[in-house]
Amino acid sequence: MSGATLAGGTPQPRRGRRPSLARERRWALWVSYITLIFFAIGFLIPPYFEIVTSLKTSEQIGSGRNPWFVHHPYLGNFLYIIHNAQFQTFFLNSVKITLVVVVVTLLISVFAAYALARMRFFGSEGFATGVFLTYLVPESLLFIPLFKVLAALHLINNVWCLALIWPTLSVPFCTWIMIGYFGSIPRELDEAAMIDGASHMQMLWRIFIPVAMPGIIAATIFAFTVCWGDFLYPLAFAFTSTQMTLTAGIVSTLIHGDVLDWGKIMAANILASAPPILIYAFLMDYYIAGLTAGATKG
Amino acid sequence: MADGTTGAAASGVPARRAATRGGALHRMARRRSTIAVMMCLPLFALIAGLVVYPFFYSIYLSMLSREMDRFIGLFNYEYLLTSDTFHLVVFQSCLFAITAVFFKALIGFILAHVMHNISGRDQRVWRGLLLVPWVIPPALSTLGWWWMIAGSYSAVNWFLQLVGLHPVAWLAITGWARFWVIVVNVWFGTPFFMIMYLATLKSVPEQLYEAAAIDGATGLQKIRYISLPLLRNIISITVLFSLIVTFANFDIVEILTAGAPANSTQVFATYAFQVGIGSGNIPMGAAVSLFIFPILAIFAIFILRGVNRRAKEAI
């Protein structure tokens, strides 16, 4: 629908002398919109289906009628999940650990990125590459030795162990984002500040952080999303439901535990996915800038 | 501050001027690098303590016996290399990662071009819609996929029955289970490729395409002779990045199939989890997961070498 109106709305005889070019362009636009509509539908089917399921009672789900539509939306699943003590614990755990990790990540990566972008020192280039190479040691390789390390620290089955571990997921990439942003600040700016007698701390606080604010926001979003969505570490290091975060909690407790009602599971799923989606909806440009900045830098 | 002391010393004793200035500069440089090192210290401690050390510790762990009381050398590796299950894991990991990354890159490439064709405000809306799979935590969205494919009232089977076909036990049949695991991964990862390629396409001067169009180039020729050469570097980097992430993927396989049926969808991460945490054989689990590293390192060397060579050619 929208594709048709938009394609029709383009100025047709843009190049009167060469109608073939204009025709080709219009044809390309048509193909573009059809492809986009096709993939957008495909991409949005699973979230749509989750929403439909979450709005049904278990009788409606089990009735064998069309699973793709909901005739009488029912909000009981959401109310149940919001008042469910287990879900509240998961949510609270996720919120508090993620917030701590975001703050820690920003502190570590902003300082390190400032040093690596502006103050060359012995081995700084090698170190910057080394930070990037940590991606060759993914979490699915580290969770087994970390399990032993945490056991030695008596942190197994303690949700706070994630505050120690999660920075390994977020810090390297955030440092790379920040090196990129700090590196793009013109040197005249810090020379001017240096002449005025600013210390490194003042320079970082008064110049670099304000100028690179979009980078900081992008890094914050990245750190938040990666921690909020992590599944392997909370699953491997926690056994009791009070020590779990949302992802591991929903998958391992709500399914295998007392709730075997998919309407409620999907409601929990949607509520747990809501924070990253909301952040994305409001800060899409920063989100994308952070994503693309990090990779093109490498 | 440093300038002040140098100035005072220089005016006082001219003979020692050079030496003092050298010393002060040296001191300043040293202080500057001391501050820099201090600023990097937390990052260094984090990587050394929670990435590098566990990595080497993992190598050590993998050479212990199951009870972790005896050193048994490379026995665990020997055992794995002769185990049929592990052969299956290696095969499936490669099949999964290579197929999924190929389709992610292909669909991402197509979508980026298609998106590049349409104008400003519209593009924002479409980009926003198509990025949704990437934003939902994969563990949670995979749970939704599971319910859609294999739940007791499978919505996919409902469609089959609508057109008169028999329902299929999707995740209990090897071929289909492998198919769905890849589909979910492609669904989740494609937006990342799309956004990367779109960002790069935007930096390509529009005149190149216009000139080609005037010369009578077809759409495919434009892609072949303009887009592909210019996007080659970003394609290599995104493919490398995605290979690393996909090879080490845990969430999707664990939730969708947990390796079933009969370990045919098991990948390194899920197998290591099952062996190491599930059945408590930590040394064997460590050995399984360590196989990820050399494979990733080989990918990284090849792709980064290509990128460097092309970067040099460009200069």
Side-chain angles (χ1 to χ4, degrees), chain B residues 262-283:
Chain B
N263 288 323
S264 61
T265 56
Q266 202 81 269
V267 292
F268 285 114
T270 52
Y271 191 55
F273 190 87
Q274 190 192 319
V275 172
I277 308 281
S279 20
N281 191 346
I282 284 184

Side-chain angles (χ1 to χ4, degrees), chain A residues 29-277:
Chain A
L29 210 61
W30 264 100
V31 173
S32 301
Y33 274 109
I34 291 168
T35 320
L36 281 177
I37 291 169
F38 175 77
F39 277 102
I41 292 174
F43 279 17
L44 294 176
I45 280 178
Y48 166 79
F49 186 64
E50 285 187 27
I51 294 172
V52 166
T53 307
S54 73
L55 294 173
K56 289 181 176 180
T57 62
S58 29
E59 289 76 35
Q60 281 172 318
I61 292 172
S63 70
R65 288 174 60 197
N66 189 344
W68 294 95
F69 288 100
V70 55
H71 300 285
H72 306 286
Y74 163 74
L75 289 174
N77 294 324
F78 285 96
L79 292 175
Y80 174 89
I81 287 295
I82 289 170
H83 292 109
N84 179 309
Q86 256 185 347
F87 183 81
Q88 288 169 348
T89 315
F90 299 153
F91 207 94
L92 207 66
N93 282 344
S94 274
V95 169
K96 67 187 181 199
I97 309 292
T98 304
L99 286 184
V100 169
V101 174
V102 166
V103 172
V104 170
T105 301
L106 285 181
L107 283 176
I108 296 179
S109 56
V110 164
F111 279 121
Y114 176 76
L116 289 173
R118 274 302 197 263
M119 310 150 96
R120 298 260 165 264
F121 59 90
F122 178 71
S124 63
E125 297 235 330
F127 185 54
T129 317
V131 172
F132 192 69
L133 287 183
T134 54
Y135 280 104
L136 294 181
V137 192
E139 59 172 341
S140 33
L141 198 158
L142 288 175
F143 74 97
I144 289 183
L146 283 176
F147 186 87
K148 290 287 292 174
V149 171
L150 291 174
L153 296 170
H154 301 291
L155 280 172
I156 286 292
N157 201 21
N158 179 344
V159 74
W160 286 102
C161 74
L162 296 172
L164 186 70
I165 302 295
W166 273 349
T168 58
L169 298 179
S170 56
V171 166
F173 194 72
C174 288
T175 309
W176 271 88
I177 296 180
M178 291 321 298
I179 291 178
Y181 274 92
F182 285 167
S184 67
I185 295 175
R187 280 187 186 273
E188 287 78 27
L189 215 57
D190 32 322
E191 275 160 17
M194 195 104 80
I195 287 167
D196 288 347
S199 69
H200 281 298
M201 274 302 153
Q202 284 171 322
M203 255 163 56
L204 184 58
W205 187 245
R206 298 257 170 86
I207 296 173
F208 277 74
I209 291 180
V211 173
M213 209 54 194
I216 300 215
I217 297 174
T220 312
I221 297 173
F222 176 81
F224 176 86
T225 346
V226 97
C227 296
W228 191 270
D230 184 43
F231 176 60
L232 176 52
Y233 285 151
L235 189 73
F237 302 147
F239 315 122
T240 51
S241 61
T242 52
Q243 305 301 324
M244 281 181 181
T245 57
L246 276 169
T247 48
I250 289 176
V251 171
S252 59
T253 326
L254 289 187
I255 294 181
H256 306 300
D258 50 328
V259 191
L260 227 173
D261 181 338
W262 281 89
K264 295 191 176 78
I265 293 171
M266 287 301 135
N269 224 344
I270 289 165
L271 289 174
S273 322
I277 290 180

